[in-house]
Amino acid sequence: MPLQVIPEIKIIEETETELEPLFRVLIHNDNVTPMDFVVHTLKVNFYLANEKAAEIMFTAHIYGTAYVQTLAKSEAEKRINKAHAAANNAGYPLKFSMEPE
């Protein structure tokens, strides 16, 4: 019977890691940006299903703002910047903002 070597197990002390703070992404209604563009932007930049994107768009349309999703700060900033760039390139004033969770 061949000899089996048991690997040495090293115990690593638990260290604290600081998680990035979470932020709520909000979308703001305007009277210029077409509804289909808003839904498309929510789907492409925030990876939402068509139904969810349409629901958020209608909520913002009715109430003025709507919650989109909660993300780590850097990810929220990245997605908002991409959405703003796409809207700006299309000539629309679509606006997103973020607030601490």
Side-chain angles (χ1 to χ4, degrees):
M1 183 171 189
L3 185 62
Q4 289 185 337
V5 177
I6 301 175
E8 185 180 325
I9 298 174
K10 199 177 210 181
I11 297 175
I12 300 173
E13 301 262 340
E14 189 174 321
T15 59
E16 280 192 40
T17 57
E18 189 174 319
L19 298 176
E20 194 172 359
L22 297 176
F23 277 74
R24 294 169 44 91
V25 176
L26 304 172
I27 185 170
H28 301 270
N29 185 53
D30 65 70
N31 294 324
V32 177
T33 308
M35 292 179 174
D36 61 335
F37 183 85
V38 174
V39 170
H40 174 76
T41 301
L42 289 167
K43 288 167 50 178
V44 169
N45 293 290
F46 296 94
Y47 308 108
L48 299 175
N50 193 60
E51 296 78 24
K52 185 66 176 172
E55 179 185 322
I56 291 169
M57 179 273 300
F58 278 120
T59 301
H61 182 70
I62 293 167
Y63 297 105
T65 61
Y67 167 78
V68 177
Q69 60 191 188
T70 300
L71 299 164
K73 183 179 182 182
S74 63
E75 187 65 23
E77 288 171 338
K78 181 175 97 176
R79 292 184 191 190
I80 287 171
N81 288 339
K82 283 185 177 182
H84 284 166
N88 190 38
N89 287 340
Y92 299 126
L94 183 60
K95 172 104 168 80
F96 291 87
S97 64
M98 54 192 249
E99 63 185 26
E101 178 73 351

